[in-house]
Amino acid sequence: MDDGRHVRDEDRTKAFRATFYLILVMALVRNRGAWGCSAALALRAALHGAVCPLDPRRARAAAEREARSAAIRARHR
């Protein structure tokens, strides 16, 4: 029966991200063993580029840095 009360779930974003990063680290270790350090570093760079924009705080900080850089470049022209 629905009594009209809604219960919010816990925010499990941090736990999900921690588990996701552990899986990525394990994949990098496996790849380093299989293909060497250069392939693992290339994969790490690709994954970092794909995952970092997903974090809203980092994306916001990057946008603010870019705006400050653009303002400085505009002043010096």
Side-chain angles (χ1 to χ4, degrees):
M1 290 192 345
D2 185 19
D3 59 359
R5 291 182 291 180
H6 296 284
V7 179
R8 289 189 58 156
D9 258 352
E10 293 180 43
D11 184 16
R12 296 192 174 121
T13 304
K14 290 181 182 180
F16 171 76
R17 284 186 183 156
T19 305
F20 184 67
Y21 284 123
L22 285 175
I23 291 170
L24 288 178
V25 167
M26 288 188 297
L28 289 173
V29 169
R30 186 192 66 82
N31 287 340
R32 183 173 180 192
W35 297 309
C37 190
S38 60
L41 287 175
L43 179 62
R44 183 239 171 251
L47 289 172
H48 181 74
V51 170
C52 279
L54 298 178
D55 187 2
R57 287 173 292 155
R58 286 186 182 180
R60 188 171 37 254
E64 290 170 0
R65 276 193 309 273
E66 182 59 36
R68 284 193 304 267
S69 297
I72 291 170
R73 284 192 303 269
R75 277 187 293 201
H76 291 330
R77 287 186 183 166

